Amino acid sequence: MIPSKIEDIIVKFLTNAATLNELEVLHEWIENDNNAKVFKTYIETHFAIAIAMNQPDLKKVKQDFLKDIKKEKRKQQLQKITSVVKYAAVVIFIVGASFLAKNQFFPESIKESISSREEQITLQLANGELKSIKNGAKEVIKNPDGQPLANNDGNKLSYQDNKEDSSPLVYNKLTIPYGKKYNLILADGTQVVMNSGSVLKFPVKFSNKKERRVYLTGEAFFTVAHNEHKPFFVEANGMEVKVYGTEFNLKSYTEDLTSAVVLVNGSVSLADNNSSKKEEIKLVPGERGSLDRRKKVIKKDKVDTSIYTSWIKGDMVFKNEPFKNIIKALERNYNVVIINNNEALNEEHFNATIETKYESIEQVFNYFSKVYDIEYRVIENKIVIN
């Protein structure tokens, strides 16, 4: 049963009369899974029937709808942009939930669909052999000698059964291509969620050494198993993070100029490995430590950690982010090629929340096109911004 207040907002939404505040209420209500199902059924039984009976001009509805978004956008301060993004997210939910998905609500230019490139997650063994890690496929990974090395349950790769001994360190390397994420459990029980476009080099077991050390390129969220006698280190493009048993996000893509650690719980310190001083900067929960790799300067600031960990749940959150950074993040997440011929746009800043579970790359760019007047075309499976 839909509350009368929510039903009124839905009707306003479908008739293009809802305010931003009302859309905020609707968006929060839909975030509940049970409400989302009720909402979908309501749309299918009420709105679909209305269209079948009356055959309204969907093109005109779409134009008026987007016109109102722009009109409302001009009335608001920049801080209100996220509400407009949620407005688009609600539209996209309807598109995915009902017959409108059949290209009736999107512009002609996007009908040339964009196909994400399909690449495999790979595990490189100590002898250089590559093994494909398949989502959903359960298997036992064996070392070059045919002995069990790790278990893949289809969602995560686990080395947790490997016990410490006095043998030399042997490394594996897990590579996550664009468009994918994967979970890894190291031999000590440390949990790692790896984001798209990331590589982690790690020991198959932490032998009797005085430390635990792994090497990251890209982005990952670590939940480190506590061991006060054996500190955990992550090296990432010249930055060294020392961990004392904690939860943190580390982002350090090679093409970025900055490496950053966001601490959720516990305690970490970071240092520039390429500096002669190698001064440690300690963080407390809620702080971000950033290394400018060109200037070799480390700074820290207070942040909302949920913004930097939202990718784990499938969301992409941008707050006052340059468009060039948004483009790169979209390429990694959707595994597509985006060419920006509008250089001035690169330095413009935007706020956006993208629910990647529900929003395709086509829908994301349709939103940017209509709300921000960003012109683009799809050419040979590439998004070209003019």
Side-chain angles (χ1 to χ4, degrees):
M1 185 73 179
I2 299 180
S4 58
K5 178 182 178 181
I6 296 296
E7 188 169 15
D8 289 343
I9 295 176
I10 293 174
V11 172
K12 286 183 178 181
F13 171 72
L14 295 176
T15 56
N16 204 21
T19 66
L20 284 175
N21 288 335
E22 288 171 330
L23 289 167
E24 288 278 4
V25 173
L26 180 58
H27 183 269
E28 290 177 6
W29 184 77
I30 290 174
E31 284 185 333
N32 179 283
D33 289 341
N34 290 330
N35 292 343
K37 292 176 183 177
V38 173
F39 179 70
K40 177 184 175 185
T41 302
Y42 183 92
I43 295 298
E44 290 174 340
T45 57
H46 290 76
F47 194 47
I49 291 173
I51 285 188
M53 294 290 290
N54 301 318
Q55 291 295 316
D57 184 350
L58 284 181
K59 186 174 182 180
K60 184 177 185 302
V61 171
K62 176 194 67 177
Q63 291 172 344
D64 291 343
F65 172 75
L66 295 169
K67 181 179 179 182
D68 284 350
I69 290 180
K70 292 181 182 179
K71 186 187 300 180
E72 192 69 31
K73 170 177 167 285
R74 285 194 295 269
K75 294 178 184 177
Q76 306 298 322
Q77 298 296 326
L78 182 62
Q79 289 82 357
K80 292 292 185 181
I81 295 297
T82 49
S83 296
V84 181
V85 176
K86 289 183 179 179
Y87 199 150
V90 176
V91 177
I92 289 167
F93 183 90
I94 289 182
V95 172
S98 69
F99 66 95
L100 290 180
K102 296 179 180 178
N103 293 323
Q104 296 187 68
F105 210 82
F106 297 102
E108 298 295 325
S109 62
I110 200 63
K111 286 188 177 180
E112 182 182 341
S113 63
I114 305 165
S115 300
S116 296
R117 296 164 294 173
E118 186 66 25
E119 298 178 49
Q120 291 292 325
I121 297 170
T122 60
L123 178 69
Q124 184 178 14
L125 304 183
N127 65 348
E129 178 185 355
L130 285 179
K131 291 185 176 290
S132 293
I133 305 298
K134 299 177 181 177
N135 279 315
K138 296 183 179 181
E139 60 180 330
V140 175
I141 308 298
K142 297 182 178 181
N143 64 20
D145 297 327
Q147 300 299 314
L149 179 65
N151 291 306
N152 177 27
D153 70 359
N155 180 53
K156 66 178 178 295
L157 188 63
S158 176
Y159 286 74
Q160 200 164 4
D161 292 337
N162 296 345
K163 305 303 180 184
E164 289 189 9
D165 56 31
S166 57
S167 61
L169 289 176
V170 174
Y171 289 90
N172 281 185
K173 185 186 294 184
L174 186 62
T175 300
I176 314 299
Y178 282 6
K180 294 184 183 294
K181 300 178 180 67
Y182 215 68
N183 300 302
L184 172 67
I185 300 180
L186 301 177
D188 65 339
T190 292
Q191 300 177 42
V192 187
V193 185
M194 295 182 63
N195 205 352
S196 52
S198 301
V199 179
L200 186 71
K201 179 183 175 182
F202 57 93
V204 300
K205 62 176 70 174
F206 292 99
S207 301
N208 294 327
K209 306 292 182 182
K210 294 182 179 180
E211 65 177 32
R212 297 167 289 167
R213 187 176 292 268
V214 299
Y215 305 84
L216 174 72
T217 300
E219 183 170 22
F221 185 84
F222 291 83
T223 303
V224 177
H226 180 71
N227 185 338
E228 61 181 338
H229 303 295
K230 187 178 289 191
F232 191 98
F233 292 89
V234 185
E235 289 192 31
N237 288 311
M239 182 172 69
E240 180 182 87
V241 181
K242 185 177 182 180
V243 187
Y244 302 92
T246 185
E247 294 180 320
F248 65 97
N249 193 80
L250 173 54
K251 184 178 180 182
S252 184
Y253 287 100
T254 302
E255 61 269 27
D256 293 345
L257 300 178
T258 302
S259 299
V261 179
V262 174
L263 182 61
V264 177
N265 287 306
S267 177
V268 303
S269 66
L270 57 151
D272 182 0
N273 261 349
N274 297 319
S275 171
S276 56
K277 297 180 180 179
K278 201 175 180 180
E279 180 182 359
E280 283 191 26
I281 305 295
K282 289 190 175 181
L283 302 182
V284 297
E287 287 186 333
R288 172 181 60 179
S290 303
L291 168 65
D292 186 318
R293 299 202 294 264
R294 289 184 305 177
K295 299 178 180 178
K296 300 188 182 305
V297 174
I298 296 177
K299 64 179 182 179
K300 64 179 181 178
D301 56 350
K302 287 282 188 181
V303 296
D304 178 355
T305 61
S306 65
I307 294 174
Y308 300 90
T309 60
S310 61
W311 64 268
I312 299 171
K313 296 181 179 179
D315 293 337
M316 302 177 71
V317 180
F318 302 105
K319 298 290 186 183
N320 197 31
E321 193 74 23
F323 191 65
K324 62 182 180 183
N325 293 355
I326 294 177
I327 287 176
K328 196 62 196 174
L330 290 173
E331 285 187 322
R332 291 171 185 147
N333 188 85
Y334 289 100
N335 197 15
V336 295
V337 176
I338 302 172
I339 301 172
N340 183 20
N341 293 324
N342 185 347
E343 293 187 7
L345 191 62
N346 276 333
E347 302 305 324
E348 290 193 30
H349 289 65
F350 297 85
N351 294 336
T353 298
I354 300 169
E355 298 177 338
T356 60
K357 291 181 180 178
Y358 307 112
E359 302 176 47
S360 67
I361 189 65
E362 291 98 329
Q363 291 166 333
V364 171
F365 266 89
N366 179 64
Y367 161 73
F368 275 113
S369 174
K370 295 304 180 182
V371 176
Y372 293 112
D373 288 324
I374 294 175
E375 297 182 0
Y376 72 98
R377 295 178 62 192
V378 178
I379 302 174
E380 295 182 351
N381 205 42
K382 297 180 179 65
I383 300 171
V384 181
I385 301 170
N386 300 317

